[in-house]
Amino acid sequence: MLFLWIFTDGMVNRIHIIFAALFLCISSVAYSQEVWKSSMSSVAAVNMFHESSYISALGGFGNIEPLVFEANIVPYFTISTSRNARWVLELSPKVLLRMYNTESMPVRTPSYMPKVTFFYHVTEREEGRDWFVYLSWMHHSNGQDGSFFNADSCTINTFSGNFATNFLEGGCFISRPNKKRPNIIDYHKISLSYCYLMNSEIKSLYGRTRISYDYNTSINVSKKSDSKSSLIQSIRVGWIAGKFDDAKAFDSERLSFCYTISYKPPFLEDIGIFAQYYYGQDYYNLYFNRTLKVLRFGITAKMSISKYTNYETSMFNKR
């Protein structure tokens, strides 16, 4: 991370920045692959809903500013007392960057989004099924301390304005193997989050209560247990409840939708390619006050540091 920041702060050319981000993603995943070689444990199932790291190619198509790239850097650190423990603690120091395609190629006001999650494994694995409940504490800030509004007192200061929020989130998720097609595993997740601490200026603008449903499906493309080729589709639907920027009780501004499809070809060890469409509140700190509509493409990988093996791969090998 320090390597990336040295380049970013100096505002050198875009190629150095992209290679720095690529180095961070690939090196972290390569390390996790070595760690994953140990024996299987049910605790490893928490990997099923790990958010993927990615680097987009430019900004994509939509109402987003011209970008060189958007990088989502999400390493996960899993802590447990034993391989078969039902309780798991997970840490994730997530950072989201946008490098703008303007003079000097700046990276301004990154989103710092660390998270701590407690998991509890409710049911023992039976025919591949797993059911977890979890509770997360999440923070989201931009590292700035300037005035929230510009001089006109109406528009938000996205250049140096202060943005800080804290969330509590709880929910459950389950994995369900497809009986008719054994090379497919379906994942379902339901969550409720509440923002209990935020800037006083954004209390009525941001939206405190959020409900979301996620559906993922992982497909072993070749149907071989030792295959390194996989196709993953995910759908996320979210709703902002309560007071939100003078929106009506049923308003499209409260809705968020994200569809992602990613493919890891057999000739790439850790990296896949993805396409994603997102509609909803902009997730990049002070840009929250707009509805983002964007179609993007890029490369993706999961970054997990744990003594447990990769859940999806092990489930296929088990068969």
Side-chain angles (χ1 to χ4, degrees), residues 68-87:
V68 178
F69 69 83
E70 179 176 291
N72 190 40
I73 304 169
V74 199
Y76 287 90
F77 300 83
T78 303
I79 302 171
S80 181
T81 56
S82 70
R83 290 172 48 225
N84 297 313
R86 285 181 176 270
W87 291 95

Side-chain angles (χ1 to χ4, degrees), residues 43 46 75 108 155 167 190 223 230 233 259 274 283 290 313:
V43 179
V46 300
R108 296 195 180 99
T155 58
F167 278 91
I190 299 175
K223 301 182 181 181
S230 62
Q233 297 183 80
Y259 173 76
F274 79 94
Y283 46 83
R290 69 176 177 183
T313 301

Side-chain angles (χ1 to χ4, degrees), residues 63 238 240 244 252-258 277-283 287-294:
N63 62 335
I240 301 175
F244 172 58
S252 60
E253 291 185 4
R254 296 179 179 273
L255 177 68
S256 64
F257 174 82
C258 184
Y277 174 76
Y278 176 83
Y279 169 90
Q281 184 184 49
D282 197 335
Y283 46 83
Y287 289 87
F288 72 87
N289 204 34
R290 69 176 177 183
T291 298
L292 183 65
K293 307 171 187 176
V294 62

Side-chain angles (χ1 to χ4, degrees), residues 6-27:
I6 291 174
F7 282 123
T8 302
D9 190 55
M11 294 184 181
V12 297
N13 64 64
R14 71 185 72 178
I15 297 177
H16 286 169
I17 296 293
I18 292 174
F19 273 100
L22 280 169
F23 172 80
L24 180 61
C25 286
I26 295 173
S27 61

